[in-house]
Amino acid sequence: MKKFLEEFKEFALKGNVMSLAIGVIIGGAFQSLVTSFTDCFITPIINSIGGAEIGGHFQIFHTGQYIEYGAFISAVINFIIMAFVIFVIMKGINAIMDLGKKKE
């Protein structure tokens, strides 16, 4: 049991695991920021163009159940923003990592 705990401690305190944990926490905070940005800025701008409403829903066969297409569209916009920001960050990190390397 003692060896198991030592192995777990070594695994949990490795740099990769700690970096992943920090990344997940920052990603969660950033995701809420992007969601707020989409809900407060992007959706009202889209709603004001041509009178369209992105926050809508429609009822399924008069059952009282609704399909929330507006929430889905907002989630897609959130995903696109997150993917773009991550892409730009990774391009920057790769460019910084390549600065010290010599071309062959």
Side-chain angles (χ1 to χ4, degrees):
M1 185 68 173
K2 186 175 183 180
K3 182 173 169 73
F4 175 77
L5 291 175
E6 288 175 11
E7 288 178 15
F8 179 74
K9 180 181 175 183
E10 182 182 331
F11 166 77
L13 297 179
K14 279 186 181 177
N16 294 343
V17 175
M18 297 303 285
S19 296
L20 179 63
I22 291 168
V24 167
I25 292 168
I26 291 173
F30 184 69
Q31 191 270 336
S32 66
L33 180 70
V34 170
T35 300
S36 176
F37 175 73
T38 303
D39 292 343
C40 296
F41 292 100
I42 302 295
T43 301
I45 290 170
I46 292 173
N47 288 346
S48 68
I49 298 172
E53 186 175 327
I54 197 171
H57 60 270
F58 60 88
Q59 190 172 8
I60 304 172
F61 304 119
H62 303 290
T63 60
Q65 300 295 317
Y66 293 92
I67 293 179
E68 303 284 339
Y69 65 87
F72 178 74
I73 292 171
S74 292
V76 169
I77 292 170
N78 287 345
F79 173 77
I80 291 170
I81 292 171
M82 290 286 292
F84 178 74
V85 169
I86 291 170
F87 172 75
V88 169
I89 289 171
M90 290 308 299
K91 291 283 282 184
I93 289 172
N94 289 339
I96 291 171
M97 296 297 286
D98 289 342
L99 285 178
K101 294 182 181 178
K102 293 182 180 179
K103 292 185 179 179
E104 295 180 12

